[in-house]
Amino acid sequence: MTALLQARGLTRKFGGVVALDRLDLDVVAGEILGLIGPNGSGKTTFFNVVTGIYGAHEGHISFDGADITKASSRAVYHAGISRTFQRSRLSLPLSIFDNIMIGNHKRLNQGLWFNLMRRGDFKREFEANYRAARALVEVFEPQLAERLFEPVAGLPMIDRRRIEICRALISQPKLLLLDEPSAGMTHDETKELMDDILQVREFNKGLTIIIVEHEMGVIERITDRCAVLNFGRKIAEGPYRQVAADRQVQEAYLGVA
Amino acid sequence: MAQAGQTSRASLLPGIAALVLATGYLIALLAVEKQPLIIGLLAFGIAAVLAANWFGWLDPVSRSFADREDRLGCFAILAAFVVAVFFREDHFVLLLFVTVLLYVVATLGLNIQFGYAGVLNFAGASFFGIGAYTSAVLNTYTAIPHLLVLLIGGLLAALIGSLLLLPVLRTRGHYAALVTIAFALLLKTFLEVNDVLGGPQGMQVKPMNLFGWSFNDNIHIGSVELSFYFSYFVVSMVLLVGAFILVRRLERSWIGLNLDALRLDETAASCFGLDIARWKITAFLIGNFLIGIAGALFGMVGSFVAPNNYTFADSLILVSILLLGGIGNPWGLVVATFIVVVVPEKLQTIQEYRFLLYSVLVIAVLLFRPEGLLPRPVRSYFPGWRP
Ligand SMILES: Nc1ncnc2c1ncn2[C@@H]1O[C@H](COP(=O)(O)OP(=O)(O)OP(=O)(O)O)[C@@H](O)[C@H]1O
Ligand SMILES: [Mg+2]
């Protein structure tokens, strides 16, 4: 099988810190890959480099056959990669619907004339998107779907995480990057959210996911394969059971040098 | 949200009642001359609004406006005409009224820039002045039809404003604001040393003339005589309604959403494909266009332009209207402009201290009601729309 996303020799430094150190990583189309590793091991940095927030100092990334090493965040999104953020980055004063539509940018007609003058056509596009957003939110939480025009600011963390995932999913990306979607949630909430994610995947068969997660139960349950980072280097790769049994991995997590 | 709100539309009545009361109050305030009476009226107005708020009477009003904005907008236009007709012979009051309308148009422009895109513009009055100078020059030296002059005023403000685009896009937050302040100072100096534009003395502006209808003379309809400012009132009203609809449609579109998204979180916005520069430029240019048109008409209304009329201090007044009214809420801007323009004009005793009044007002609002008098509600793409 060919890789959907391929990183080769990827390196990113911050001053003296080598956040990514000659990382090679392949993500196969259709799989859920768990990206794990201790704090500061470079997981978020990998997402930031892939999505063009930070440039790579060395190495290449290709996605769907095209080189995206130097691509801007915009270009990466248009190529079909969406993400969530470790620290939730919703626009709090805006409604749930607005936040989800931000993620749908590439499928909305952005023409000035269309938006300002052809209000009838705009209304049709708006209503179609309302239905799409509603259907997506219903997969996660039917009650939330009734409240799409309420501001996000008043919602509990679990709902915010759901909306962030909906924002990333609404444009039907090929690759979804989830950065600790369960951060700040209780054990039960985490389980609920993971069920939702698996359910979304039932809808969208082709979807490939990379998930960063500290809860090993989650990783074991939902991933097909894992890659383990430590100090920006990949120290193990394979099915969760195999990786968890790896000595190097255990040492990394226990902090043994 | 109450379940009832999901199904039935809010009633028009509270909105109409509020408009009627506001119109009556405005007429009283504009008609009264004696200082103690004016102070009394102002105190009464503040007390009445606070009381209405206390009793929860303002909520039905805002619901009414949220759901039935199109209809209530028509009533608001009607109300403005009632006020103008009431003062049909009074040059002073009509001039004041027209000033308010054109300031609202200008702040609507600023609102697109700052309220939506988050681009601070401390040179609002300068671009307003560019519009006014455009009228002065074109009306004096050319025979270009005056409606076209207004348009050119807007385009010039946008064009000259685009000089600022590069620095505004390259720098962030306060630095971008500094760039606009520098521009305001530069423009004033430029106008002062430029003899063709009348130097520090400024220049005359020929009054408006639309298809042979000269705005120089009073209007006679039968035995009724209307001040010539009434004509300016009509044109300003048309401009204001157009600008208001433009701003509303902009906000209630994907473009309005784009601007909010990039203002609130540029990084997240670019991760979802937004072209930050494109939308900032769009907002800045449309905003300046509105400011420029308003300024061009204002030049003709005032029949005179001078560098001292368009200073940094005036830009600050425009920004304070924005902060006072509620950033992003066009109705708030209307209310705030009336307060900021009319009150010092009526209260002769505080004329000297008007900047003190503005600062106190702005500080009070920022402290006690940081989102302004009328905070911006969550976007509804079509007022009254239900799933
Ligand atoms: N913008 C930045 N500036 C400076 N250093 C950074 C920056 N981003 C990341 N780093 C550093 O890079 C290293 C990797 O950080 P990263 O956030 O990728 O870790 P992580 O694996 O996501 O950790 P966590 O599990 O805590 O989220 C850390 O040492 C971090 O301090
Ligand atoms: Mg991280």
Side-chain angles (χ1 to χ4, degrees), chain A residues 209-227:
Chain A
I209 301 176
I210 308 180
I211 179 171
V212 169
E213 186 52 65
H214 279 298
E215 271 214 43
M216 288 308 142
V218 169
I219 290 290
E220 176 166 21
R221 197 172 130 229
I222 78 168
T223 62
D224 301 311
R225 219 159 52 86
C226 290

mmCIF file of all heavy atoms in Angstrom, chain A residues 209-227:
data_model
loop_
_atom_site.group_PDB
_atom_site.id
_atom_site.type_symbol
_atom_site.label_atom_id
_atom_site.label_comp_id
_atom_site.label_asym_id
_atom_site.label_seq_id
_atom_site.Cartn_x
_atom_site.Cartn_y
_atom_site.Cartn_z
ATOM 1 N N ILE A 209 -6.801 9.030 9.958
ATOM 2 C CA ILE A 209 -6.688 9.851 11.165
ATOM 3 C C ILE A 209 -5.331 9.637 11.826
ATOM 4 O O ILE A 209 -4.865 8.506 11.940
ATOM 5 C CB ILE A 209 -7.801 9.495 12.185
ATOM 6 C CG1 ILE A 209 -9.187 9.709 11.573
ATOM 7 C CG2 ILE A 209 -7.648 10.315 13.463
ATOM 8 C CD1 ILE A 209 -10.330 9.281 12.496
ATOM 9 N N ILE A 210 -4.701 10.726 12.232
ATOM 10 C CA ILE A 210 -3.569 10.616 13.156
ATOM 11 C C ILE A 210 -4.037 11.219 14.466
ATOM 12 O O ILE A 210 -4.526 12.346 14.496
ATOM 13 C CB ILE A 210 -2.328 11.391 12.672
ATOM 14 C CG1 ILE A 210 -1.965 11.011 11.241
ATOM 15 C CG2 ILE A 210 -1.150 11.127 13.603
ATOM 16 C CD1 ILE A 210 -0.734 11.745 10.717
ATOM 17 N N ILE A 211 -3.910 10.447 15.534
ATOM 18 C CA ILE A 211 -4.382 10.952 16.817
ATOM 19 C C ILE A 211 -3.250 10.962 17.841
ATOM 20 O O ILE A 211 -2.533 9.972 17.995
ATOM 21 C CB ILE A 211 -5.601 10.136 17.325
ATOM 22 C CG1 ILE A 211 -6.078 10.662 18.678
ATOM 23 C CG2 ILE A 211 -5.305 8.653 17.390
ATOM 24 C CD1 ILE A 211 -7.399 10.067 19.132
ATOM 25 N N VAL A 212 -3.065 12.115 18.479
ATOM 26 C CA VAL A 212 -2.126 12.228 19.583
ATOM 27 C C VAL A 212 -2.927 12.048 20.847
ATOM 28 O O VAL A 212 -3.985 12.661 20.993
ATOM 29 C CB VAL A 212 -1.453 13.617 19.590
ATOM 30 C CG1 VAL A 212 -0.679 13.831 20.881
ATOM 31 C CG2 VAL A 212 -0.541 13.777 18.386
ATOM 32 N N GLU A 213 -2.469 11.181 21.738
ATOM 33 C CA GLU A 213 -3.298 10.897 22.903
ATOM 34 C C GLU A 213 -2.418 10.372 24.021
ATOM 35 O O GLU A 213 -1.500 9.595 23.792
ATOM 36 C CB GLU A 213 -4.359 9.857 22.501
ATOM 37 C CG GLU A 213 -5.386 9.535 23.538
ATOM 38 C CD GLU A 213 -6.069 10.756 24.115
ATOM 39 O OE1 GLU A 213 -6.778 11.454 23.374
ATOM 40 O OE2 GLU A 213 -5.886 11.012 25.325
ATOM 41 N N HIS A 214 -2.703 10.829 25.240
ATOM 42 C CA HIS A 214 -1.930 10.338 26.374
ATOM 43 C C HIS A 214 -2.585 9.138 27.035
ATOM 44 O O HIS A 214 -1.925 8.360 27.714
ATOM 45 C CB HIS A 214 -1.716 11.458 27.407
ATOM 46 C CG HIS A 214 -0.594 12.377 27.028
ATOM 47 N ND1 HIS A 214 0.700 11.954 26.906
ATOM 48 C CD2 HIS A 214 -0.578 13.689 26.719
ATOM 49 C CE1 HIS A 214 1.475 12.963 26.549
ATOM 50 N NE2 HIS A 214 0.716 14.037 26.416
ATOM 51 N N GLU A 215 -3.892 8.996 26.848
ATOM 52 C CA GLU A 215 -4.575 7.867 27.487
ATOM 53 C C GLU A 215 -4.371 6.602 26.682
ATOM 54 O O GLU A 215 -4.870 6.461 25.576
ATOM 55 C CB GLU A 215 -6.071 8.162 27.593
ATOM 56 C CG GLU A 215 -6.389 8.879 28.879
ATOM 57 C CD GLU A 215 -7.744 8.483 29.424
ATOM 58 O OE1 GLU A 215 -8.061 7.270 29.403
ATOM 59 O OE2 GLU A 215 -8.463 9.386 29.854
ATOM 60 N N MET A 216 -3.631 5.670 27.239
ATOM 61 C CA MET A 216 -3.256 4.491 26.476
ATOM 62 C C MET A 216 -4.465 3.599 26.179
ATOM 63 O O MET A 216 -4.493 2.884 25.183
ATOM 64 C CB MET A 216 -2.179 3.700 27.217
ATOM 65 C CG MET A 216 -0.843 4.426 27.184
ATOM 66 S SD MET A 216 -0.403 4.886 25.485
ATOM 67 C CE MET A 216 0.336 6.472 25.740
ATOM 68 N N GLY A 217 -5.469 3.662 27.053
ATOM 69 C CA GLY A 217 -6.687 2.892 26.801
ATOM 70 C C GLY A 217 -7.306 3.302 25.473
ATOM 71 O O GLY A 217 -7.732 2.455 24.672
ATOM 72 N N VAL A 218 -7.348 4.597 25.244
ATOM 73 C CA VAL A 218 -7.911 5.125 24.006
ATOM 74 C C VAL A 218 -7.095 4.647 22.819
ATOM 75 O O VAL A 218 -7.627 4.151 21.817
ATOM 76 C CB VAL A 218 -7.913 6.669 24.052
ATOM 77 C CG1 VAL A 218 -8.238 7.234 22.684
ATOM 78 C CG2 VAL A 218 -8.879 7.165 25.100
ATOM 79 N N ILE A 219 -5.789 4.776 22.959
ATOM 80 C CA ILE A 219 -4.902 4.394 21.870
ATOM 81 C C ILE A 219 -5.096 2.916 21.522
ATOM 82 O O ILE A 219 -5.236 2.529 20.365
ATOM 83 C CB ILE A 219 -3.433 4.660 22.274
ATOM 84 C CG1 ILE A 219 -3.182 6.168 22.349
ATOM 85 C CG2 ILE A 219 -2.471 3.992 21.323
ATOM 86 C CD1 ILE A 219 -3.176 6.858 21.015
ATOM 87 N N GLU A 220 -5.148 2.111 22.552
ATOM 88 C CA GLU A 220 -5.290 0.674 22.321
ATOM 89 C C GLU A 220 -6.594 0.369 21.590
ATOM 90 O O GLU A 220 -6.659 -0.472 20.701
ATOM 91 C CB GLU A 220 -5.256 -0.073 23.664
ATOM 92 C CG GLU A 220 -5.492 -1.567 23.488
ATOM 93 C CD GLU A 220 -5.133 -2.356 24.739
ATOM 94 O OE1 GLU A 220 -5.094 -1.741 25.823
ATOM 95 O OE2 GLU A 220 -4.880 -3.561 24.611
ATOM 96 N N ARG A 221 -7.631 1.107 21.989
ATOM 97 C CA ARG A 221 -8.941 0.794 21.459
ATOM 98 C C ARG A 221 -9.128 1.260 20.020
ATOM 99 O O ARG A 221 -9.703 0.548 19.203
ATOM 100 C CB ARG A 221 -10.001 1.451 22.345
ATOM 101 C CG ARG A 221 -11.355 0.838 22.120
ATOM 102 C CD ARG A 221 -12.346 1.364 23.131
ATOM 103 N NE ARG A 221 -13.510 1.816 22.406
ATOM 104 C CZ ARG A 221 -14.091 2.978 22.562
ATOM 105 N NH1 ARG A 221 -13.629 3.842 23.429
ATOM 106 N NH2 ARG A 221 -15.138 3.278 21.849
ATOM 107 N N ILE A 222 -8.671 2.437 19.716
ATOM 108 C CA ILE A 222 -9.074 2.946 18.408
ATOM 109 C C ILE A 222 -7.988 2.940 17.329
ATOM 110 O O ILE A 222 -8.312 3.105 16.163
ATOM 111 C CB ILE A 222 -9.723 4.349 18.489
ATOM 112 C CG1 ILE A 222 -8.679 5.443 18.644
ATOM 113 C CG2 ILE A 222 -10.732 4.441 19.610
ATOM 114 C CD1 ILE A 222 -9.304 6.814 18.423
ATOM 115 N N THR A 223 -6.745 2.744 17.680
ATOM 116 C CA THR A 223 -5.739 2.859 16.620
ATOM 117 C C THR A 223 -5.447 1.510 15.957
ATOM 118 O O THR A 223 -5.564 0.454 16.569
ATOM 119 C CB THR A 223 -4.400 3.421 17.157
ATOM 120 O OG1 THR A 223 -3.880 2.509 18.123
ATOM 121 C CG2 THR A 223 -4.599 4.779 17.776
ATOM 122 N N ASP A 224 -5.069 1.602 14.684
ATOM 123 C CA ASP A 224 -4.613 0.413 13.973
ATOM 124 C C ASP A 224 -3.124 0.197 14.221
ATOM 125 O O ASP A 224 -2.620 -0.923 14.191
ATOM 126 C CB ASP A 224 -4.831 0.583 12.464
ATOM 127 C CG ASP A 224 -6.292 0.828 12.137
ATOM 128 O OD1 ASP A 224 -7.136 0.070 12.638
ATOM 129 O OD2 ASP A 224 -6.590 1.798 11.416
ATOM 130 N N ARG A 225 -2.430 1.320 14.433
ATOM 131 C CA ARG A 225 -0.984 1.284 14.493
ATOM 132 C C ARG A 225 -0.528 2.482 15.309
ATOM 133 O O ARG A 225 -1.245 3.472 15.401
ATOM 134 C CB ARG A 225 -0.439 1.451 13.059
ATOM 135 C CG ARG A 225 0.769 0.617 12.697
ATOM 136 C CD ARG A 225 0.855 0.497 11.174
ATOM 137 N NE ARG A 225 0.790 1.785 10.515
ATOM 138 C CZ ARG A 225 1.844 2.582 10.300
ATOM 139 N NH1 ARG A 225 3.041 2.210 10.701
ATOM 140 N NH2 ARG A 225 1.714 3.747 9.705
ATOM 141 N N CYS A 226 0.658 2.384 15.881
ATOM 142 C CA CYS A 226 1.172 3.507 16.661
ATOM 143 C C CYS A 226 2.592 3.837 16.244
ATOM 144 O O CYS A 226 3.349 2.957 15.828
ATOM 145 C CB CYS A 226 1.258 3.145 18.147
ATOM 146 S SG CYS A 226 -0.325 2.976 18.893
ATOM 147 N N ALA A 227 2.941 5.121 16.395
ATOM 148 C CA ALA A 227 4.337 5.521 16.276
ATOM 149 C C ALA A 227 4.683 6.231 17.572
ATOM 150 O O ALA A 227 3.879 7.007 18.092
ATOM 151 C CB ALA A 227 4.536 6.451 15.090
#
